[in-house]
C-alpha cells in the first residue's frame, strides 16, 4: 500500500519549503509530503490523489493566501477527504479568524507562525492528529449501511446509536434507488425498518442495540468475572476514572448502557474545557478519552444495563439486565444524568420523529434551510443552537425565564448574539405538539399570561433539567430527595455515620453509604455540572479507591 499523504499549502515559497522540510524530516519515512503554492494547486493535487486511490492524513494550509485563503481551501478539501485532519497556519493577528474556522470547517488545530522549535510547537500537534486519523476507520474501505425512513423513530435510534459510538455508517432512504435495491437484494420489505447491512454483508432487520453493537465491533461481554474496579457510566467522569484506574494498574472495566461520552459526548463544541483554547467537540473529546482508556488496558462494555448492586463480603456485585453479574473490589458510579422529559400533549408520540432530546447531530444536515426550535437555556442548549445555525435557516431558542444569563456561560451568550440566524424567545414554553406520523406544529404558551400561538415546524430539540439515573440504586445507597447519590460529609449528620456503616472511619469524600462504592460527576449530589469537574472527580475517585483497597 502506498504511503498516506500529508499536504502543505503556502503561497510564500520560503515558508512553504520550511514547513514541508520540517514535516518531511519527522514523517517522511511513513508519509508522502506534498507541497503546493496555492489553494487551487493544492485542490488539483488532491483530486489526483483521490483518483489514484491514495489517502490523505493531514492538511496544513496557510490562512493568508491570494485567490483562495486557507479556510476556503480546507472547506473545499473536506469534500474530497472528509477524514483528513485539518490545520490552519496563521499569524498572531489572525487568531480570531482561525477560531471562527473551528465552526466553519471543523478545524482540528491552528498553528502560529513561526513554529520553531518544531519539536515543541509542530510535531506534538501533528503526532496527535495522526494518531486520531489512524484510529478512524476508513469509510471508503468498508462501511455500515443503514436503510430507513426520515421520520421513523427506530431508524433515528439506530443512526444515533452508531453516531454516538463513533461507528462510521452511510444512511440511505428506503425509497431511494440504492435503498430500494439493497432492500430487494436482502429480501426485506420496506415496512421493516431500519435495516442495517454490516461491513461483512450481514443483514440486520430492526436489531436491538445489543445486537447492533455486537455486529459492528463494539464489545458487549467482559473477558473476566472479577475486577479490581468497575466503572458504571462512560461519560466524562467514568472515562476519567477508567483512564486513571487502568493506568495505575487496576484491572478496570467500564460499563455503558448506550454510548460513551454521555451528555457531553453530544455537544457540538465545548469551549471552556482546560487545555482546548480553540474548543473541542464532545465526540472528539470522547474519542480521545476512550482511546486513552483502552490504551492503558481498560475494557469497555457497551449496551450493558446495570440493574442491581449489592455487597458480597469484601466484594461488590453488579447485576445486569440479562441476569448475569460481575464481581469487583470497588465501584465508581458515574451514570450521569438524562434530560428530563417535557410534559406536553403530543410530544411523547412524536419523539424520534421530529422531537428529540439532546443534540441529535445526525439530524443537523436534514435541517438545512428549515426553522429549528430548541427548548432550554443551559450550555447544552446554547451549544446545540450554534451547531444547528450552520444548517438551519433560523434557530429559535425557547426559555421560560426572561434571561439566558441565569443558566448559560457568558462566552456562549456572546457567541449566540453574534450569529444572525439565532433568535432567543423569552417567557415561552411548549404547550403541545401535533403531526401525522411526524412533527408538523407546535403550540407555544406565555407562562405569565397563558396566551398561546401555533407555529409550523418539523424540528424540536429539548434540553431541560437533569434527572439522575439512579432508580436501580434505591434501598442500596443513600440518595437525596432528587435521586442524586449522597457521598462523604453529606452522609455524616451530627457526627453520626450513615445507618449500616460498619467501618471505624467516616466515608471518604466521594464514597457512598456502601463502603467501596464511590460516585463521581453529575450523578453525585451537589456536584458542579461541568465536564472538567466530572473528569476531576473521576480521577479523585480512583485515588480514594486505592486508599480503600489498601485498608482491606
Amino acid at each position: 500500500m502506498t504511503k498516506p499523504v500529508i499536504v502543505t499549502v503556502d503561497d510564500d515559497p520560503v515558508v512553504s519549503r520550511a514547513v514541508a522540510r520540517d514535516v518531511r524530516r519527522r514523517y517522511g519515512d511513513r508519509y508522502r509530503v506534498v507541497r503546493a503554492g496555492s489553494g487551487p494547486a493544492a485542490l488539483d493535487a488532491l483530486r489526483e490523489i483521490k483518483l489514484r486511490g491514495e489517502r490523505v492524513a493531514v492538511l496544513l494550509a496557510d490562512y493568508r493566501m491570494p485567490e483562495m485563503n486557507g479556510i476556503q481551501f480546507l472547506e473545499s478539501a473536506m469534500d474530497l477527504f472528509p477524514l483528513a485532519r485539518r490545520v490552519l497556519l496563521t499569524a498572531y493577528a489572525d487568531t480570531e479568524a482561525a477560531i471562527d474556522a473551528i465552526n466553519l470547517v471543523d478545524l482540528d488545530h491552528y498553528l502560529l507562525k513561526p513554529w520553531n522549535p518544531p519539536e515543541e510547537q509542530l510535531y506534538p500537534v501533528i503526532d496527535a492528529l495522526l494518531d486520531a486519523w489512524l484510529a478512524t476507520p476508513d469509510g471508503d474501505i468498508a462501511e455500515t449501511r443503514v436503510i430507513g425512513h426520515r421520520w421513523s423513530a427506530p431508524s433515528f435510534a439506530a443512526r444515533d446509536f452508531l453516531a454516538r459510538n463513533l461507528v462510521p455508517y452511510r444512511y440511505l432512504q428506503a425509497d431511494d434507488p440504492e435503498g430500494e435495491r439493497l432492500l430487494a437484494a436482502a429480501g426485506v420489505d420496506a415496512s421493516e425498518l431500519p435495516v442495517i447491512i454490516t461491513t461483512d454483508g450481514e443483514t440486520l432487520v430492526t436489531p436491538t442495540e445489543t445486537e447492533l453493537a455486537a455486529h459492528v465491533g463494539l464489545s458487549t461481554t467482559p473477558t473476566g468475572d472479577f475486577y479490581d474496579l468497575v466503572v458504571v457510566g462512560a461519560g466524562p467522569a467514568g472515562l476519567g476514572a477508567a483512564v486513571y484506574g487502568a493506568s495505575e494498574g487496576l484491572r478496570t472495566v467500564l460499563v455503558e448502557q448506550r454510548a460513551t461520552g454521555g451528555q457531553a459526548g453530544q455537544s457540538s463544541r465545548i469551549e471552556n474545557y482546560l487545555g482546548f483554547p480553540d474548543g473541542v467537540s464532545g465526540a472528539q473529546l470522547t474519542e480521545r478519552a476512550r482511546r486513552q482508556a483502552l490504551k492503558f488496558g481498560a475494557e469497555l462494555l457497551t449496551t450493558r444495563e446495570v440493574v442491581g448492586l449489592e455487597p458480597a463480603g469484601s466484594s461488590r456485585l453488579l447485576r445486569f439486565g440479562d441476569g448475569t453479574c460481575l464481581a469487583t473490589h470497588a465501584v465508581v458510579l458515574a451514570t450521569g444524568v438524562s434530560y428530563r422529559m417535557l410534559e406536553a400533549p403530543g410530544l411523547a408520540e412524536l419523539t424520534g420523529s421530529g422531537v428529540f432530546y439532546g443534540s441529535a447531530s445526525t439530524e443537523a444536515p436534514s435541517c438545512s434551510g428549515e426553522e429549528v426550535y430548541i427548548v432550554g437555556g443551559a450550555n447544552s442548549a446554547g451549544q446545540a443552537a450554534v451547531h444547528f445555525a450552520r444548517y438551519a435557516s433560523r434557530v429559535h431558542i425557547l426559555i421560560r425565564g426572561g434571561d439566558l444569563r441565569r443558566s448559560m456561560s457568558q462566552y456562549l451568550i456572546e457567541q449566540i448574539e453574534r450569529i444572525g440566524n439565532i433568535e432567543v424567545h423569552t417567557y415561552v414554553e411548549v404547550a403541545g405538539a401535533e403531526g401525522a406520523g411526524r412533527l408538523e406544529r407546535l403550540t407555544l404558551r406565555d407562562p405569565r399570561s397563558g396566551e398561546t400561538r401555533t407555529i409550523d415546524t418539523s424540528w424540536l430539540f429539548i434540553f431541560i433539567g437533569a434527572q439522575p439515573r439512579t432508580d436501580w440504586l434505591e434501598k442500596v445507597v443513600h440518595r437525596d430527595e432528587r435521586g442524586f447519590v449522597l457521598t462523604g460529609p453529606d452522609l455524616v449528620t451530627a457526627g453520626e455515620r450513615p445507618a449500616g456503616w460498619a467501618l471505624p472511619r467516616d466515608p471518604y469524600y466521594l464514597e457512598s453509604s456502601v463502603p467501596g462504592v464511590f460516585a463521581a460527576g453529575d450523578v453525585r449530589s451537589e456536584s458542579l455540572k461541568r465536564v472538567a469537574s466530572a473528569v476531576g472527580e473521576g480521577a479523585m475517585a480512583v485515588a480514594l479507591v486505592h486508599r480503600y483497597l489498601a485498608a482491606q
Side-chain angles (χ1 to χ4, degrees):
M1 182 179 292
T2 58
K3 294 179 182 179
V5 178
I6 297 175
V7 177
T8 70
V9 193
D10 199 305
D11 67 309
D12 185 328
V14 175
V15 175
S16 180
R17 285 193 296 269
V19 66
R21 178 200 64 222
D22 287 343
V23 171
R24 192 174 289 113
R25 180 186 302 160
R26 173 85 165 207
Y27 307 102
D29 59 329
R30 292 162 289 156
Y31 295 86
R32 185 164 70 91
V33 179
V34 173
R35 180 166 66 92
S38 69
L43 286 177
D44 289 341
L46 287 178
R47 294 186 186 101
E48 185 176 341
I49 292 169
K50 186 78 171 180
L51 287 173
R52 289 201 300 260
E54 298 180 62
R55 299 177 299 160
V56 173
V58 175
L59 300 162
L60 297 99
D62 181 59
Y63 171 61
R64 289 197 178 189
M65 293 189 293
E67 189 177 356
M68 175 183 285
N69 67 35
I71 296 174
Q72 293 168 332
F73 162 73
L74 291 173
E75 189 173 15
S76 298
M78 286 174 66
D79 295 333
L80 293 168
F81 292 96
L83 299 181
R85 303 293 161 162
R86 294 170 287 277
V87 181
L88 194 68
L89 300 173
T90 181
Y92 182 80
D94 297 321
T95 51
E96 186 173 345
I99 292 171
D100 290 341
I102 291 169
N103 287 326
L104 181 62
V105 297
D106 197 19
L107 194 68
D108 292 292
H109 209 282
Y110 71 84
L111 285 169
L112 294 177
K113 297 186 295 184
W115 53 86
N116 291 325
E119 289 77 12
E120 296 179 10
Q121 305 297 333
L122 178 65
Y123 298 151
V125 171
I126 299 181
D127 284 346
L129 295 178
L130 288 174
D131 285 345
W133 179 79
L134 288 169
T136 303
D138 190 341
D140 292 336
I141 296 175
E143 62 183 358
T144 296
R145 285 167 288 182
V146 179
I147 306 166
H149 186 274
R150 178 178 179 182
W151 301 112
S152 163
S155 298
F156 162 73
R159 294 161 54 209
D160 190 55
F161 175 79
L162 292 172
R164 293 187 60 190
N165 281 287
L166 306 173
V167 177
Y169 71 92
R170 184 157 62 100
Y171 177 62
L172 301 166
Q173 294 280 2
D175 53 1
D176 287 344
E178 187 174 357
E180 292 177 343
R181 179 181 62 81
L182 289 172
L183 288 176
V188 179
D189 188 83
S191 62
E192 302 177 273
L193 298 176
V195 171
I196 287 84
I197 301 175
T198 65
T199 55
D200 57 8
E202 188 169 358
T203 299
L204 307 176
V205 181
T206 61
T208 65
E209 289 186 349
T210 301
E211 292 170 337
L212 186 53
H215 283 84
V216 297
L218 300 176
S219 178
T220 60
T221 305
T223 60
D225 53 14
F226 194 94
Y227 291 81
D228 296 319
L229 174 63
V230 174
V231 182
V232 185
L239 287 165
V243 167
Y244 281 93
S247 68
E248 294 173 10
L250 297 178
R251 190 178 184 196
T252 303
V253 61
L254 178 60
V255 181
E256 171 56 46
Q257 183 176 355
R258 191 145 196 274
T260 52
Q263 285 191 6
Q266 295 179 277
S267 175
S268 57
R269 183 66 58 180
I270 302 169
E271 298 190 59
N272 59 350
Y273 185 64
L274 184 67
F276 290 88
D278 311 325
V280 61
S281 74
Q284 289 173 321
L285 188 63
T286 295
E287 171 60 8
R288 292 178 183 184
R290 185 191 67 83
R291 287 191 290 112
Q292 197 172 13
L294 294 175
K295 181 187 78 170
F296 287 122
E299 292 181 38
L300 173 57
L301 306 183
T302 308
T303 69
R304 297 305 300 268
E305 181 185 9
V306 181
V307 298
L309 167 67
E310 59 184 82
S314 61
S315 302
R316 302 292 174 258
L317 207 60
L318 290 162
R319 298 194 180 277
F320 295 118
D322 62 0
T324 60
C325 60
L326 203 58
T328 179
H329 285 305
V331 176
V332 173
L333 302 172
T335 50
V337 296
S338 58
Y339 291 113
R340 183 166 53 84
M341 303 295 286
L342 183 57
E343 300 295 335
L347 290 179
E349 295 82 357
L350 296 172
T351 298
S353 302
V355 176
F356 306 94
Y357 287 87
S359 181
S361 57
T362 53
E363 299 302 297
S366 299
C367 300
S368 179
E370 301 189 29
E371 299 205 8
V372 169
Y373 287 78
I374 292 176
V375 179
N379 279 10
S380 54
Q383 289 160 353
V386 171
H387 179 62
F388 280 107
R390 297 169 55 187
Y391 302 91
S393 61
R394 181 159 292 274
V395 176
H396 303 269
I397 301 177
L398 312 179
I399 58 174
R400 285 177 53 87
D403 199 332
L404 285 174
R405 287 173 174 78
R406 295 183 57 186
S407 53
M408 190 177 292
S409 296
Q410 183 62 32
Y411 84 89
L412 200 49
I413 295 174
E414 293 173 355
Q415 191 173 355
I416 287 171
E417 289 173 346
R418 292 196 299 267
I419 300 175
N421 64 332
I422 298 181
E423 186 175 353
V424 179
H425 304 266
T426 58
Y427 302 111
V428 178
E429 61 185 9
V430 175
E434 301 174 35
R438 66 179 181 88
L439 177 64
E440 296 175 349
R441 289 173 298 281
L442 287 176
T443 299
L444 306 181
R445 179 171 55 212
D446 186 326
R448 301 166 299 177
S449 65
E451 294 182 1
T452 63
R453 59 189 176 94
T454 301
I455 54 99
D456 294 330
T457 186
S458 298
W459 305 101
L460 177 67
F461 299 87
I462 301 169
F463 302 80
I464 59 169
Q467 52 189 24
R469 303 168 181 170
T470 59
D471 290 346
W472 61 283
L473 293 169
E474 188 175 1
K475 298 181 181 179
V476 180
V477 301
H478 292 192
R479 302 177 298 162
D480 65 18
E481 65 280 359
R482 296 177 297 162
F484 292 91
V485 177
L486 293 166
T487 60
D490 293 335
L491 291 167
V492 180
T493 306
E496 293 292 325
R497 293 166 183 155
W501 185 268
L503 299 181
R505 61 167 176 82
D506 289 347
Y508 295 135
Y509 184 73
L510 298 180
E511 196 169 20
S512 74
S513 57
V514 176
V517 176
F518 300 82
D522 290 359
V523 74
R524 191 177 67 83
S525 180
E526 302 303 323
S527 66
L528 181 63
K529 305 298 187 281
R530 288 292 185 268
V531 174
S533 62
V535 173
E537 288 192 6
M540 184 191 301
V542 172
L544 297 175
V545 165
H546 281 293
R547 188 184 301 180
Y548 167 78
L549 294 176
Q552 296 304 298

